[in-house]
Amino acid sequence: MNKIIGILLFIFTLISCKTSEVEIFVENGLLIENAQIISPENQTISPDSFVVVNGDSIAYVGVEKPIVKGSFETIDAKGKYIIPGLIDSHVHVTATDALSDEEEMENPEIVASYREQLPKSYLYFGYTTLIDLGTAKPERLDDFQKAEIRPDLYFVGGGAVIGNGYGLSNWNDDIPNFIYQENEAYPIPEKYVKENHSPKAVANRIAASGAIALKTYYEPGFDPTQPPFPTPSEALMEELKTEAHKNNLVLVVHGNSLEAHRFLGNAKVDIVAHGLWNWGDFRLDSDSGIPEEIKKVLDIEIKNNVGYMPTLQVINGLRELTDSNYLNDSELEHVLPNGLIEYYKANSNTMYVNVFGDAPKNIISTNFNRLSGRGKINLKYLFDHGGNILFGTDTPSSPTYGNPPGYNGYLEMLEMESAGIPLSKILAMATIENAKAFKLEQLYGTVEEGKKANLLILNKNPLQDITAYNDIDRVVVNGQSINRTNLSAKNADE
Ligand SMILES: [Zn+2]
């Protein structure tokens, strides 16, 4: 008798399990089946799992198949891998790579086709969230946001440059958020009201514009024969940090020299937006080790948990100006309109001269390879000693065609791998760690219920093979699933 009750209870439990199956009603949704979902936080892979997307957010993630009702598309991801969409936390989406304002004016068609392709190029390489770290053309941020298919874009707006400092070479430019700092050698024009340019006033204004971070600069300049640009004092940097944090803004500072990194490490800023590749008079020691002076500065940054963006592609991108074959790379055809590639080919010599003058290409190339090596060796040191490394490319960083949108992120990943960074770390940096650094982890960084439906479906496992990031099957952005092929510039309608 008891046995029968036991069996009945067992059957009853089975039935109740069945009725407790998850039922989800979605509109414009997706049901992704049989996927292998990778967690960037602990590198676990959950096999044969399901993801349900409702509108632009993730409604369900689990191994149990849910009952989905409403309007949705079903995607079979058997054998494929799902990761959260990638985040590049250092881009500039308002420029046309390598073209000056004058060249933009002379080539409106090229600029228009480039700007139309730009959001898709980032998506083509899996970048579904971008942070624009400074622009002189904020209206173009709005243009970008108007594109029908585009990554989510966050911004700092106009940089909080130091009065008369780097980035403010010309008072004719409209630099509304410059910071007033007294400097006898570099007086600020009288027409500006000092109170409007205090750290407090500027931080309030930047926050009110919808920005998520305050960007400022520590840059004495690149030309040793010229007097240095004014840089922020310790007191000013402290005030900027206080005012930024009061406004819930992350403090991001440009700096790439030993002096800048020392200053910013000690100032405990949140993030330094570049790697330390400018070593002054220091060289790699005899057994290719990092000089003690450089280590000391990196150690300060590690101890103070200062975010460090290696931006390895800044140096490599400039070096590409010396490589006559670079523009034949077939990957460029996916991210740049053909007209622009042709323009680069026709003007590559002029572009080289504009940056490097009459310096021989082989010397520039050797120098930049050395700088690139320093960037990588520092990156490895930071990784080995628990540094807070962040994934940001600075695309495009300077007048070069060597930082193509989207593709530059993939190249940065390849460089990180060749510097000795494990694939698990690269995935974490480009997803959850970037999200946390910019306080966006409620929305991004993992494949979890409640987050934005920004996902990548990959043909390969990115924890085993870096080329998985260039083998994307589909990109899901804001809940919309797009075949990668449709994002390529090759397939843009003429
Ligand atoms: Zn930048």
Side-chain angles (χ1 to χ4, degrees):
M1 194 63 186
N2 277 350
K3 213 174 179 182
I4 293 173
I5 293 174
I7 290 169
L8 282 176
L9 269 176
F10 179 67
I11 292 170
F12 182 72
T13 319
L14 273 184
I15 294 168
S16 54
C17 272
K18 191 141 184 78
T19 50
S20 74
E21 252 179 28
V22 190
E23 206 178 287
I24 306 163
F25 186 84
V26 299
E27 260 178 280
N28 286 325
L30 297 173
L31 166 62
I32 308 174
E33 301 186 319
N34 310 314
Q36 305 176 78
I37 303 174
I38 300 180
S39 161
E41 282 175 309
N42 53 25
Q43 295 86 51
T44 54
I45 302 183
S46 114
D48 299 323
S49 296
F50 298 85
V51 179
V52 178
V53 170
N54 184 17
D56 67 356
S57 60
I58 300 174
Y60 173 84
V61 181
V63 286
E64 205 179 313
K65 184 169 182 173
I67 301 166
V68 184
K69 293 180 174 167
S71 60
F72 63 96
E73 179 194 349
T74 304
I75 297 168
D76 184 9
K78 184 124 194 96
K80 300 187 197 297
Y81 297 84
I82 295 194
I83 59 167
L86 304 173
I87 305 171
D88 187 340
S89 58
H90 190 163
V91 301
H92 303 279
V93 299
T94 63
T96 309
D97 291 26
L99 298 200
S100 64
D101 287 355
E102 221 169 51
E103 285 173 296
E104 281 199 342
M105 240 129 75
E106 288 162 6
N107 299 282
E109 277 172 25
I110 289 178
V111 173
S113 60
Y114 172 82
R115 298 209 59 74
E116 175 153 0
Q117 173 60 34
L118 182 63
K120 294 184 217 158
S121 297
Y122 278 108
L123 294 175
Y124 183 85
F125 277 95
Y127 292 90
T128 54
T129 302
L130 303 175
I131 303 174
D132 186 291
L133 284 191
T135 176
K137 299 184 175 93
E139 67 286 353
R140 285 194 177 175
L141 294 174
D142 298 338
D143 284 353
F144 191 95
Q145 308 271 34
K146 281 181 205 148
E148 203 186 320
I149 299 171
R150 58 173 165 76
D152 289 339
L153 178 68
Y154 294 86
F155 55 88
V156 303
V161 294
I162 303 304
N164 265 317
Y166 172 73
L168 213 172
S169 52
N170 182 347
W171 283 105
N172 292 326
D173 289 345
D174 187 22
I175 311 278
N177 291 328
F178 83 85
I179 305 280
Y180 207 105
Q181 180 171 245
E182 301 285 354
N183 186 321
E184 275 177 30
Y186 291 100
I188 287 164
E190 276 176 17
K191 65 174 181 176
Y192 291 102
V193 182
K194 195 174 169 180
E195 286 69 30
N196 292 343
H197 296 276
S198 66
K200 186 186 175 70
V202 169
N204 288 347
R205 223 165 27 237
I206 286 174
S209 74
I212 62 165
L214 185 149
K215 169 94 178 277
T216 187
Y217 302 79
Y218 190 100
E219 181 53 74
F222 310 106
D223 186 348
T225 64
Q226 295 298 311
F229 292 129
T231 46
S233 67
E234 277 174 37
L236 184 68
M237 191 54 80
E238 192 57 37
E239 217 183 324
L240 274 168
K241 186 166 68 171
T242 306
E243 295 302 330
H245 290 176
K246 266 192 209 164
N247 282 284
N248 205 25
L249 298 168
V250 178
L251 177 64
V252 184
V253 191
H254 162 103
N256 55 47
S257 62
L258 184 60
E259 178 192 339
H261 277 254
R262 185 189 291 121
F263 177 90
L264 299 169
N266 282 318
K268 300 182 186 173
V269 302
D270 296 323
I271 295 169
V272 182
H274 287 293
L276 197 184
W277 57 70
N278 181 351
W279 289 5
D281 295 331
F282 296 100
R283 298 277 176 271
L284 284 178
D285 62 25
S286 48
D287 52 359
S288 290
I290 307 179
E292 284 307 313
E293 279 305 303
I294 308 290
K295 270 189 199 169
K296 267 189 214 159
V297 168
L298 295 176
D299 287 340
I300 295 168
E301 294 182 310
I302 293 166
K303 184 171 124 258
N304 291 339
N305 196 35
V306 170
Y308 178 109
M309 290 180 179
T311 57
L312 301 169
Q313 275 300 107
V314 170
I315 297 301
N316 296 346
L318 282 165
R319 185 197 55 208
E320 306 312 1
L321 288 170
T322 68
D323 178 0
S324 53
N325 209 18
Y326 175 79
L327 289 167
N328 296 321
D329 180 345
S330 61
E331 295 293 346
L332 296 177
E333 296 169 24
H334 294 297
V335 296
L336 298 173
N338 200 35
L340 185 55
I341 297 175
E342 291 306 318
Y343 183 85
Y344 290 153
K345 284 181 178 168
N347 294 280
S348 60
N349 278 331
T350 320
M351 288 177 164
Y352 177 87
V353 172
N354 286 345
V355 178
F356 297 117
D358 55 6
K361 282 189 179 168
N362 59 338
I363 291 182
I364 294 295
S365 163
T366 308
N367 281 345
F368 275 73
N369 279 329
R370 197 179 63 226
L371 288 174
S372 178
R374 288 177 183 178
K376 280 154 84 166
I377 232 169
N378 283 345
L379 168 58
K380 184 64 166 53
Y381 182 87
L382 283 161
F383 175 74
D384 289 343
H385 296 83
N388 178 12
I389 316 159
L390 298 172
F391 185 86
T393 57
D394 195 11
T395 303
S397 65
S398 48
T400 169
Y401 41 70
N403 296 145
Y407 185 33
N408 207 36
Y410 180 60
L411 294 172
E412 181 88 15
M413 285 182 162
L414 294 179
E415 281 292 89
M416 285 181 153
E417 192 200 23
S418 88
I421 307 302
L423 294 177
S424 55
K425 179 66 179 174
I426 294 175
L427 174 63
M429 281 192 290
T431 54
I432 186 64
E433 291 177 7
N434 252 347
K436 284 183 177 164
F438 284 88
K439 301 179 186 165
L440 297 169
E441 73 269 29
Q442 299 292 334
L443 289 174
Y444 307 102
T446 54
V447 182
E448 277 182 280
E449 235 174 86
K451 291 201 178 184
K452 266 312 250 319
N454 287 1
L455 313 165
L456 306 182
I457 303 180
L458 308 176
N459 294 317
K460 284 187 214 149
N461 181 350
L463 298 175
Q464 286 174 356
D465 186 346
I466 192 84
T467 66
Y469 296 104
N470 195 14
D471 196 354
I472 301 171
D473 177 43
R474 279 168 190 250
V475 177
V476 177
V477 64
N478 284 302
Q480 197 181 344
S481 156
I482 309 160
N483 247 315
R484 190 197 195 195
T485 328
N486 295 336
L487 296 162
S488 166
K490 275 180 159 178
N491 297 323
D493 24 48
E494 297 303 316

